[in-house]
Amino acid sequence: MTEATHTAHSMTELLRQHYNPDGRAMGHLFMPEIGAPGGRRRADLLVAPISIAGAKANTLIGHEIKVTRSDVMAELADPTKADPWLRYCTRWYLVVADPALIEGLTIPDLWGVMAPPSGRRTRSMTILREAPKLTPDGDMAPALSRLAAYMVGRLEGVVKRAEYDRDSWKQRAERAEQREQEARLNGGGHVSPHTKRINTIVNLVEHGKHDYKSKMPYLMPDDVTEQDIAEGILDLARCRSIAREVRREIDGTIREVERALNPFAHVATQLAAVKAKAESIGERQAS
């Protein structure tokens, strides 16, 4: 039997496109490779639908991804391996790289089955069997706490990546501006339209420096050379360019942080609701 060509990574990307298509507002909290509460087991992917009003109450979809027949058979040999997360989920899917991987096999009744897009489908996964609606078992607080911790880590990662990208861009910009400045002052190399405009400005300044009949409103001191003027203009242009890009990077970082915080806020809201309910039950039992 020929194994499917998909990898776990490519399958995860197909699922991302299924739940959060490119070019659309994020509709799902997407959490790959997330450890279960209080244990070493993990889910290949958890998905929590969100809306403008917040997270949809008690909705958590689990996914176990398999790309080979042997992996599928190993999973089916001990279905209880899914329990650490399945007990908190409202649906659970076995996601296979090819429908042929499950031919002749018995899938647990509580599991749905997904496969890559097929036929006219180019984005949406193929639902081979719809997952039945499940009722989470017991207290959701451990699961929500784990989701909250995951989102904190995700937020920290977004900020670190944004800071790294910002610093890298600043360094590249400084090196590029330095090379352009050296080419301009040495009179060699490629001269960009930007540098040509600066040359024109330098010539005008030099003209105003020696022509007292010009209408330029200032006179340059005799000890200021053309090189001094050129360096000053280039430094100013470079600083302005970097400042504009840094502002754009900061705006981008703010947007990334807001996107990361948004689903985290939904999880935090659910945690607060669970806590309030627990406190209410405790008060009633005490009375």
Side-chain angles (χ1 to χ4, degrees):
M1 176 180 176
T2 302
E3 297 287 5
T5 57
H6 281 291
T7 65
H9 177 77
S10 66
M11 291 293 292
T12 301
E13 177 59 19
L14 288 174
L15 287 164
R16 186 192 67 78
Q17 286 286 350
H18 175 80
Y19 287 109
N20 291 325
D22 292 334
R24 298 185 186 180
M26 185 175 70
H28 297 81
L29 180 61
F30 195 81
M31 299 168 286
E33 299 290 339
I34 180 169
R40 292 180 295 177
R41 300 295 303 173
R42 57 148 181 79
D44 287 337
L45 174 66
L46 293 181
V47 170
I50 58 177
S51 65
I52 295 176
K56 295 180 180 179
N58 298 325
T59 302
L60 189 62
I61 307 171
H63 304 75
E64 187 67 27
I65 300 171
K66 299 299 175 187
V67 297
T68 67
R69 174 85 169 186
S70 59
D71 284 346
V72 173
M73 295 180 69
E75 188 71 17
L76 296 179
D78 184 11
T80 61
K81 290 191 297 183
D83 288 350
W85 265 121
L86 186 146
R87 65 189 296 254
Y88 297 112
C89 290
T90 51
R91 296 186 191 274
W92 187 266
Y93 279 99
L94 174 66
V95 185
V96 293
D98 190 304
L101 299 183
I102 59 171
E103 287 182 357
L105 301 179
T106 301
I107 308 300
D109 293 338
L110 298 182
W111 297 11
V113 183
M114 279 188 186
S118 60
R120 294 184 178 180
R121 296 174 180 270
T122 59
R123 179 185 62 79
S124 298
M125 298 290 285
T126 301
I127 307 298
L128 301 177
R129 189 172 86 182
E130 184 72 32
K133 182 70 179 295
L134 305 175
T135 300
D137 177 23
D139 185 12
M140 285 290 292
L144 293 174
S145 296
R146 185 67 190 88
L147 298 182
Y150 180 92
M151 290 310 304
V152 168
R154 180 175 180 268
L155 175 59
E156 291 176 348
V158 167
V159 172
K160 288 180 180 178
R161 285 194 301 272
E163 290 175 343
Y164 175 80
D165 290 343
R166 177 203 61 199
D167 294 341
S168 295
W169 190 96
K170 285 174 63 178
Q171 293 174 2
R172 291 196 299 269
E174 289 171 356
R175 287 195 296 268
E177 290 290 347
Q178 183 178 6
R179 287 194 298 269
E180 183 172 323
Q181 181 176 347
E182 290 172 352
R184 160 65 185 87
L185 297 178
N186 294 331
H190 171 72
V191 180
S192 69
H194 174 68
T195 302
K196 290 180 180 178
R197 288 195 295 272
I198 291 177
N199 288 339
T200 301
I201 294 171
V202 169
N203 291 333
L204 288 174
V205 172
E206 283 295 296
H207 176 72
K209 172 182 172 183
H210 299 294
D211 184 1
Y212 295 101
K213 294 181 181 180
S214 80
K215 296 181 180 180
M216 298 186 75
Y218 56 86
L219 297 175
M220 299 300 296
D222 290 335
D223 59 349
V224 176
T225 66
E226 179 178 343
Q227 180 171 333
D228 293 331
I229 297 168
E231 289 178 347
I233 293 173
L234 285 169
D235 286 343
L236 177 61
R238 179 173 62 85
C239 290
R240 286 179 174 175
S241 175
I242 291 175
R244 285 193 298 269
E245 186 59 29
V246 169
R247 284 196 294 270
R248 286 194 290 268
E249 290 289 339
I250 291 173
D251 289 340
T253 299
I254 291 172
R255 289 192 295 271
E256 287 293 330
V257 169
E258 287 175 344
R259 282 196 290 267
L261 278 175
N262 184 48
F264 172 66
H266 302 325
V267 175
T269 299
Q270 287 192 339
L271 264 177
V274 171
K275 178 183 177 183
K277 182 177 180 180
E279 290 175 347
S280 176
I281 294 174
E283 290 175 356
R284 287 200 301 269
Q285 290 177 343
S287 60

